[in-house]
Amino acid sequence: MTTDSHTSSTSSVSSPYDTYATLQVSVVDGIAWVTMDSPPVNVLSLKLIADLSRFAAAVRHDEQVQVIVLQSANPNFFIAHVDMELVNQWEEAARVAAELFPEPSPLNVFQQLNEQWRTLPQITIGKLQGLVRCGGSELAMALDMRFAARGQAGIGQTEVLMGIVPGGGATAYLPRLIGRARALEVIAGANLFDADLAERYGWINRALPAEELDSFVATLARQMAALAPGVARAAKQAVDSVHEPLPVALAQGDALWQQLVFQPIATSKILGGLAAGAQTPAGERDLEGLLRSL
Amino acid sequence: MTTDSHTSSTSSVSSPYDTYATLQVSVVDGIAWVTMDSPPVNVLSLKLIADLSRFAAAVRHDEQVQVIVLQSANPNFFIAHVDMELVNQWEEAARVAAELFPEPSPLNVFQQLNEQWRTLPQITIGKLQGLVRCGGSELAMALDMRFAARGQAGIGQTEVLMGIVPGGGATAYLPRLIGRARALEVIAGANLFDADLAERYGWINRALPAEELDSFVATLARQMAALAPGVARAAKQAVDSVHEPLPVALAQGDALWQQLVFQPIATSKILGGLAAGAQTPAGERDLEGLLRSL
Amino acid sequence: MTTDSHTSSTSSVSSPYDTYATLQVSVVDGIAWVTMDSPPVNVLSLKLIADLSRFAAAVRHDEQVQVIVLQSANPNFFIAHVDMELVNQWEEAARVAAELFPEPSPLNVFQQLNEQWRTLPQITIGKLQGLVRCGGSELAMALDMRFAARGQAGIGQTEVLMGIVPGGGATAYLPRLIGRARALEVIAGANLFDADLAERYGWINRALPAEELDSFVATLARQMAALAPGVARAAKQAVDSVHEPLPVALAQGDALWQQLVFQPIATSKILGGLAAGAQTPAGERDLEGLLRSL
């Protein structure tokens, strides 16, 4: 955990999110830093499931939060996997599930948790420093994007070695993410993938040098959280049009664009960019820097 | 611009496409070389939009053209992005749009331009030597394929830094091209991607050494333009079946194959290939060369 | 062919699959090793088509077989391509097709063969040591996954150079596998791709050092074949939900998970894993090894 995350975790004084047994949550400048802390290896226990679900239910309505970073207090494990003790606790599991998700659903409790996170209006980022397997990988795939530490992170769907198939959504999420051929290799082969191979397969957005992971994710989260009001959420909504046929997706993109492009803030940024040198060879070299400095 | 492209641009004497203010077009051996030239940085102005649209409307019916290469006269910029001055020219923009696309449409003018290019019957190739952002990247994604110069090209969706989301189709095109996770990172993160990272994400077909980009694209374009009549267009049509369910896509593939396989030219190429050594270990080593030399 | 495959091919004494002119089949420990052997270059002749189809029809009902590895006896050629002599044998081809696939179908005989293989209940792996083009590549794409030898394997859709488009399914399979942009480059460009580039494009799962290909595939096949009864097939079935909308895919995943998770074998593996050290930092380091050793 570098200074970046450390600072984020301690500089929040008034978080409404400090009632979780297995999570530390701090909100700083539009970013919710959610740190899972359930020793020794962060198994996805009923407690962690309940905390993750209650946090998601609360943050969904928090207009102050634009970006959520999910990370682990344990550098060696993001989430080990679903708590294997559950095999002796199906009744307790059913009770917790009914409490968290009272509405009837064709999905099991792990899938419901993951779908709850996947459909958050905020942009969600998984920071994978250590190992993550099975139900932990499924939660990571329910996030909008994933970055992992080269040489340290490992990701696997290990369920078949326990005599089951993944039950929390991997069989649906993974082929959508990396294609059917590679998804079947991952799921039926049950081998651990390092960060580089996970990137080559498209399982994560990118493998990064371990010492840069914290600062990369912090920078990206801050860039997204610093966008003009409504823009980050509109971007997520627009990209979700991928589930629609192309003409519908284009029309949805146009509608979201039109909602924003005639706002005074857009006009002011565009004219400000022009005044600062956009559309000249020099200004265009680092247009991103130019616009961020406005 | 190497000799390859230079030769292409000057050896045409009778192009019907020489009336554009911002484009130079030359047609050589079935390839239309379209060079955007709108100093200082090739912004996608109403003028460039109009020229690109009028060219597309004309070339669609040109049976002589099998392949279109879109490139820039400016090695540093493919297209900077949509002209930011448009923020003060919405009426003029509406007038141009109504002229170019008189039919009612749920799409805006940028999307209509891109869809017009995307649905051309010819194979379209984008040659990205320099920077391309926002509306320029969206036009590049409406092309069939993209190749970029390592160390020189950069591609970005920068719109969120202007307080908007991409309006020309990126929110629909990009997740289809690189998946939802990476598309949201690109769009909400608004960072410039170099050619290698763009290739790793699948945004471009391939990053190439800058000094090889011209000759690579020229060779590929010539290979495609040299195919037997109707073959390049049938290939594009067949691949577009990806938007259909698999059984429909297979049936469409069979229909296109059957249209061609009983033609005398196919029979002659296949028998010529056999006579030249196909189906022997030696002949199969470079079957491509063997068939191209027939 | 290394010791791995050699052993596999010879240690079977009672295979019911030894009646093929162009295939050697041996079944060892749940894996069917299918070795194509049709000198000089393994063209996909009517004979090979018939053998491959008859094998698929038989193995589909073989509960002993969990994994099928398709490989070539010729290190230089997996399958050259469809027999070009067919251009003079359309009547014979129609006769064979009617025999193999008597039911009316909108698909041609090559597509029907590929769909027959694609829809096998077993997991299928293609081992690409040498060259594979056209109809051979289409069959390889109908397999669940493909691994290729770096520096030796080459894969291409060469059909357009014969005046046709691919007729055996590439125009449907390839854009699903590698996206429309790269698929059109492959099909209309007709260049041979080496293993590394094929991996970067997603055409194959992975390029491997040539000397490791046999052992990598053997290990992966054995891992999959060693899973508890029904698990490998359930994994394949679950991943095929990718063709359904996400909510349906999730519900199908849940149903398959529930079929397995309450079985005594799953309980015993999960409790055995716990007893062996799972959910401790040490046990989690190589959870795969821990679970496989139970």
Side-chain angles (χ1 to χ4, degrees):
Chain A
M1 202 67 37
T2 71
T3 320
D4 266 319
S5 311
H6 186 64
T7 310
S8 308
S9 303
T10 57
S11 64
S12 166
V13 288
S14 60
S15 168
Y17 303 105
D18 29 72
T19 61
Y20 305 111
T22 60
L23 299 179
Q24 298 142 16
V25 178
S26 74
V27 177
V28 183
D29 297 338
I31 305 170
W33 297 86
V34 182
T35 308
M36 298 177 286
D37 191 4
S38 182
V41 295
N42 276 358
V43 294
L44 193 59
S45 62
L46 292 177
K47 253 189 205 163
L48 183 51
I49 288 171
D51 283 350
L52 286 166
S53 177
R54 288 189 294 122
F55 168 75
V59 80
R60 163 179 295 277
H61 305 291
D62 190 337
E63 297 287 336
Q64 301 308 309
V65 173
Q66 306 308 322
V67 177
I68 300 166
V69 177
L70 186 61
Q71 58 186 3
S72 170
N74 182 337
N76 297 318
F77 295 94
F78 181 77
I79 292 175
H81 43 69
V82 168
D83 188 354
M84 292 161 73
E85 304 280 4
L86 275 182
V87 83
N88 285 325
Q89 304 170 358
W90 290 124
E91 283 180 28
E92 173 70 359
R95 203 190 51 70
V96 170
E99 206 179 289
L100 296 173
F101 306 106
E103 310 229 343
S105 162
L107 305 186
N108 64 46
V109 64
F110 312 109
Q111 293 176 324
Q112 286 187 90
L113 173 69
N114 293 338
E115 286 292 284
Q116 188 185 16
W117 273 76
R118 190 181 65 78
T119 56
L120 284 172
Q122 290 96 349
I123 294 176
T124 57
I125 305 178
K127 188 164 80 183
L128 310 181
Q129 228 183 335
L131 302 182
V132 57
R133 288 186 178 100
C134 307
S137 157
E138 289 171 314
L139 176 61
M141 284 192 279
L143 304 179
D144 291 326
M145 55 196 84
R146 289 149 296 286
F147 299 93
R150 193 171 285 148
Q152 296 187 5
I155 185 164
Q157 298 295 149
T158 326
E159 291 89 341
V160 295
L161 302 180
M162 306 183 196
I164 57 175
V165 290
T171 58
Y173 296 149
L174 196 54
R176 279 171 172 73
L177 200 50
I178 70 174
R180 187 187 169 285
R182 286 170 167 170
L184 186 55
E185 179 200 343
V186 165
I187 289 172
N191 291 300
L192 192 67
F193 276 53
D194 67 22
D196 280 314
L197 189 56
E199 179 193 305
R200 278 154 65 195
Y201 273 37
W203 201 346
I204 59 172
N205 283 45
R206 225 184 290 183
L208 294 156
E211 66 278 13
E212 295 174 17
L213 179 65
D214 277 339
S215 66
F216 178 91
V217 168
T219 300
L220 186 64
R222 284 173 197 149
Q223 288 172 338
M224 291 173 175
L227 297 177
V231 172
R233 289 173 193 228
K236 178 160 173 174
Q237 215 181 320
V239 169
D240 270 325
S241 71
V242 71
H243 302 297
E244 306 291 340
L246 183 60
V248 177
L250 287 168
Q252 289 182 353
D254 176 54
L256 286 161
W257 174 74
Q258 294 219 27
Q259 276 175 26
L260 292 165
V261 74
F262 301 115
Q263 300 289 329
I265 196 164
T267 307
S268 126
K269 279 176 182 286
I270 291 167
L271 294 177
L274 278 170
Q279 310 206 159
T280 66
E284 291 288 329
R285 273 282 135 209
D286 178 20
L287 182 64
E288 292 75 16
L290 181 152
L291 291 168
R292 285 192 177 114
S293 71
L294 289 180
Chain B
M1 203 71 33
T2 69
T3 322
D4 265 319
S5 312
H6 185 64
T7 310
S8 307
S9 302
T10 56
S11 65
S12 166
V13 288
S14 61
S15 169
Y17 304 105
D18 27 68
T19 62
Y20 306 111
T22 59
L23 300 179
Q24 297 142 17
V25 178
S26 75
V27 177
V28 184
D29 296 336
I31 306 170
W33 297 87
V34 181
T35 308
M36 298 177 286
D37 191 4
S38 181
V41 294
N42 276 359
V43 294
L44 193 57
S45 61
L46 292 177
K47 252 190 205 163
L48 183 51
I49 288 170
D51 283 349
L52 286 165
S53 175
R54 288 189 294 122
F55 169 75
V59 81
R60 163 177 296 276
H61 305 291
D62 190 336
E63 297 289 336
Q64 301 309 308
V65 174
Q66 306 307 322
V67 177
I68 300 164
V69 177
L70 186 61
Q71 59 188 2
S72 170
N74 182 337
N76 297 319
F77 295 94
F78 182 76
I79 292 175
H81 43 68
V82 168
D83 188 355
M84 293 162 72
E85 304 279 5
L86 274 182
V87 82
N88 285 323
Q89 304 170 358
W90 290 124
E91 280 180 32
E92 173 69 359
R95 202 189 52 71
V96 171
E99 206 179 290
L100 296 173
F101 305 107
E103 309 229 343
S105 162
L107 306 185
N108 64 47
V109 63
F110 312 109
Q111 292 176 324
Q112 287 186 90
L113 173 69
N114 293 337
E115 286 292 284
Q116 188 185 17
W117 272 76
R118 190 180 66 79
T119 55
L120 284 172
Q122 290 95 349
I123 294 176
T124 57
I125 305 178
K127 188 164 81 182
L128 310 181
Q129 229 184 334
L131 302 182
V132 57
R133 288 186 178 100
C134 306
S137 157
E138 290 172 312
L139 176 61
M141 284 193 278
L143 303 179
D144 291 327
M145 56 196 84
R146 288 150 296 286
F147 300 92
R150 193 171 285 149
Q152 296 187 4
I155 184 164
Q157 297 294 148
T158 325
E159 291 89 341
V160 294
L161 302 180
M162 304 182 196
I164 58 175
V165 290
T171 59
Y173 296 149
L174 195 55
R176 279 171 171 73
L177 200 50
I178 70 174
R180 188 187 168 284
R182 286 170 167 172
L184 186 55
E185 179 199 344
V186 165
I187 289 172
N191 291 300
L192 192 68
F193 277 52
D194 66 23
D196 280 315
L197 188 55
E199 180 193 306
R200 278 154 66 195
Y201 273 38
W203 200 347
I204 60 171
N205 283 45
R206 224 184 292 183
L208 295 157
E211 67 278 13
E212 295 174 17
L213 179 64
D214 277 339
S215 66
F216 178 91
V217 168
T219 299
L220 186 64
R222 282 174 197 148
Q223 287 172 339
M224 292 174 175
L227 297 177
V231 173
R233 289 173 192 225
K236 178 161 175 175
Q237 215 182 321
V239 169
D240 270 324
S241 71
V242 71
H243 303 297
E244 305 291 340
L246 182 59
V248 177
L250 287 168
Q252 290 182 352
D254 176 55
L256 287 160
W257 174 73
Q258 295 218 29
Q259 277 174 27
L260 293 165
V261 75
F262 301 114
Q263 301 290 329
I265 195 164
T267 307
S268 126
K269 280 176 181 286
I270 291 167
L271 294 177
L274 279 169
Q279 310 207 160
T280 67
E284 291 287 330
R285 273 282 135 209
D286 178 20
L287 183 64
E288 292 74 16
L290 181 151
L291 291 169
R292 285 192 177 112
S293 72
L294 289 180
Chain C
M1 202 69 35
T2 71
T3 321
D4 266 320
S5 310
H6 185 64
T7 310
S8 307
S9 303
T10 57
S11 64
S12 166
V13 289
S14 62
S15 168
Y17 304 104
D18 28 67
T19 60
Y20 306 111
T22 60
L23 299 179
Q24 298 141 17
V25 178
S26 73
V27 177
V28 184
D29 298 337
I31 306 170
W33 298 86
V34 182
T35 308
M36 298 177 286
D37 191 4
S38 182
V41 294
N42 277 358
V43 295
L44 193 57
S45 62
L46 292 177
K47 253 189 205 163
L48 183 51
I49 288 171
D51 283 349
L52 286 166
S53 176
R54 287 189 295 121
F55 168 75
V59 81
R60 161 178 297 276
H61 305 291
D62 189 336
E63 297 288 336
Q64 301 308 308
V65 173
Q66 306 308 322
V67 178
I68 300 164
V69 177
L70 186 61
Q71 58 188 2
S72 171
N74 182 337
N76 297 319
F77 295 94
F78 181 78
I79 293 175
H81 43 67
V82 169
D83 188 353
M84 292 162 73
E85 304 280 5
L86 275 182
V87 83
N88 285 326
Q89 304 170 358
W90 290 123
E91 281 180 30
E92 173 70 359
R95 202 189 53 69
V96 171
E99 206 179 289
L100 297 172
F101 306 107
E103 311 230 342
S105 162
L107 305 186
N108 64 47
V109 64
F110 312 109
Q111 293 175 323
Q112 286 186 91
L113 173 70
N114 293 337
E115 286 292 284
Q116 189 185 15
W117 273 76
R118 190 181 66 79
T119 55
L120 284 172
Q122 291 94 350
I123 294 175
T124 56
I125 304 177
K127 188 164 81 183
L128 310 181
Q129 229 183 334
L131 303 182
V132 57
R133 290 187 178 100
C134 307
S137 158
E138 289 172 315
L139 176 61
M141 284 193 278
L143 303 179
D144 290 327
M145 56 196 85
R146 290 149 295 286
F147 299 93
R150 192 172 285 149
Q152 295 186 4
I155 184 164
Q157 298 294 150
T158 327
E159 290 90 341
V160 295
L161 302 180
M162 304 184 198
I164 58 176
V165 290
T171 58
Y173 297 150
L174 196 55
R176 280 171 171 72
L177 200 51
I178 70 174
R180 188 187 168 284
R182 287 170 167 171
L184 186 56
E185 179 199 343
V186 165
I187 289 172
N191 291 300
L192 192 68
F193 276 53
D194 67 23
D196 280 315
L197 188 56
E199 180 194 305
R200 279 154 66 196
Y201 274 38
W203 200 347
I204 60 172
N205 284 45
R206 226 184 290 183
L208 294 156
E211 66 277 14
E212 295 174 18
L213 179 65
D214 277 339
S215 66
F216 178 91
V217 168
T219 299
L220 185 65
R222 283 173 198 150
Q223 288 172 337
M224 291 174 176
L227 298 177
V231 173
R233 288 173 193 227
K236 178 160 174 174
Q237 217 181 321
V239 169
D240 271 324
S241 71
V242 71
H243 302 297
E244 304 293 339
L246 182 60
V248 177
L250 287 167
Q252 290 182 354
D254 176 55
L256 287 161
W257 174 73
Q258 295 219 27
Q259 277 175 26
L260 293 165
V261 76
F262 302 114
Q263 300 290 329
I265 195 163
T267 307
S268 127
K269 280 176 181 287
I270 291 167
L271 294 177
L274 278 170
Q279 310 207 159
T280 66
E284 291 287 331
R285 274 283 133 209
D286 178 21
L287 182 64
E288 292 75 16
L290 182 151
L291 292 169
R292 286 193 177 113
S293 72
L294 289 180

